[in-house]
Amino acid sequence: MAAIHVTVWDETGGEGVPAVFAHNIFTWGSDEVYGFAAQRPLADRYRLLLADRRGYGASPDTARSDFDTDADDLVDLLARQDAKAHLLGHGNGGLAAMLAAGRRPDLVQSLTLIQPSAFSAAAGNPVVEAMLERVRNSAGVPDSVTPEEYLRASTEGLGMPVPDATPQRLRAVATSMRERPVWEATVPLEPLRAAPWPTLVICGTWQDAPETYRRYAGEPLIACAESVADAVNGRLLRVPGYYPHTQQSATVNAALRELWQTGAAKVAAGSRTA
């Protein structure tokens, strides 16, 4: 298996419990715009491992990004740690994190999902079904569309600011344009529901998002987050905005510290009773 790139932030001298992060589209692990740069303060007590999914950041190219391959990469990364890890995923990275945690729950100490793209968990929800019908019936991205054009259409076209079109950003966009559709994924929920570790699901309120962006992306993601939290008996945390870990980093980081302490306590309790 080709190794993915992992950015390590660690101020503990190697003594911190590992925390593995999986990013969404258009980005990479340490990205300041859409990635996890705002979570770097957590490195004071934890060893942060920011994975770049294939085709993103400094990881190898891939013909087509695939959530199953991403999940395998995350399992491999988790298995190489010297302790059970906290696992966090955002968007499509959240879907991969759910698959990885379901395959190897024994490697996980807690699970955090930020607006995960696990739409199978919300099957039957009218908002999600309308979104899926819309995207399934779309013509897809024409081959003539460039990553720069796609980036602008996906941001400015929805009333969002356009990030700088750096080579690294455009490579991430090009990979995102050919990702395997997330609606093809079916997440086995029972292993997550039965897991001994805690799960936190985070979503924005989307109240201040551009109207088009909120309608087409925000409302389905909120419905999905609610369904996932209910399906896995997780805690649902709502925060203002639409990029929780960047726009509300202080609130999210505080919630992560609390969750990770709870996860560690449960692991310790399980070790004593084993």
Side-chain angles (χ1 to χ4, degrees):
M1 181 179 295
I4 58 172
H5 175 79
V6 178
T7 298
V8 180
W9 290 335
D10 184 3
E11 299 173 9
T12 71
E15 299 299 321
V17 173
V20 173
F21 291 70
H23 61 82
N24 198 13
I25 60 173
F26 286 21
T27 187
W28 52 92
S30 61
D31 179 26
E32 294 183 358
V33 181
Y34 303 130
F36 300 112
Q39 279 59 65
R40 188 162 189 166
L42 299 172
D44 64 341
R45 294 188 59 187
Y46 300 91
R47 179 156 45 94
L48 308 187
L49 304 169
L50 284 64
D52 291 343
R53 297 192 288 127
R54 296 182 187 222
Y56 295 92
S59 281
D61 289 331
T62 180
R64 191 187 196 198
S65 180
D66 187 303
F67 46 78
D68 275 322
T69 301
D70 291 337
D72 286 341
D73 287 335
L74 290 176
V75 167
D76 179 67
L77 179 57
L78 292 167
R80 287 189 278 113
Q81 305 311 307
D82 55 8
K84 294 184 179 183
H86 301 292
L87 179 58
L88 181 151
H90 171 219
N92 289 15
L95 170 61
M98 292 178 73
L99 292 170
R103 292 172 188 176
R104 291 297 305 273
D106 58 304
L107 300 177
V108 176
Q109 194 166 147
S110 75
L111 178 63
T112 302
L113 305 167
I114 302 176
Q115 296 180 165
S117 304
F119 294 109
S120 67
N125 183 289
V127 174
V128 172
E129 292 297 330
M131 182 274 293
L132 293 177
E133 182 178 4
R134 183 172 64 251
V135 295
R136 284 170 178 154
N137 293 334
S138 68
V141 182
D143 292 339
S144 60
V145 174
T146 67
E148 190 163 10
E149 291 170 339
Y150 191 75
L151 173 62
R152 185 168 295 278
S154 301
T155 52
E156 186 178 71
L158 296 175
M160 304 285 291
V162 184
D164 292 338
T166 62
Q168 191 172 25
R169 183 74 61 199
L170 293 179
R171 177 175 182 254
V173 173
T175 298
S176 301
M177 292 169 68
R178 57 180 184 270
E179 280 212 22
R180 182 181 175 188
V182 293
W183 56 84
E184 293 183 3
T186 299
V187 180
L189 297 171
E190 181 54 36
L192 305 180
R193 185 165 48 243
W197 31 259
T199 296
L200 174 65
V201 182
I202 303 175
C203 74
T205 61
W206 290 75
Q207 291 175 330
D208 298 326
E211 194 273 335
T212 302
Y213 190 41
R214 184 184 70 250
R215 184 172 70 253
Y216 286 107
E219 293 176 0
L221 285 172
I222 290 172
C224 185
E226 293 172 343
S227 295
V228 167
D230 182 65
V232 303
N233 293 326
R235 174 194 170 204
L236 180 64
L237 173 64
R238 304 177 193 270
V239 299
Y242 40 90
Y243 290 139
H245 58 297
T246 62
Q247 294 176 323
Q248 300 293 330
S249 59
T251 299
V252 169
N253 290 353
L256 289 175
R257 289 187 188 276
E258 180 182 358
L259 177 77
W260 292 353
Q261 289 174 358
T262 301
K266 288 193 173 184
V267 167
S271 298
R272 289 193 296 269
T273 59

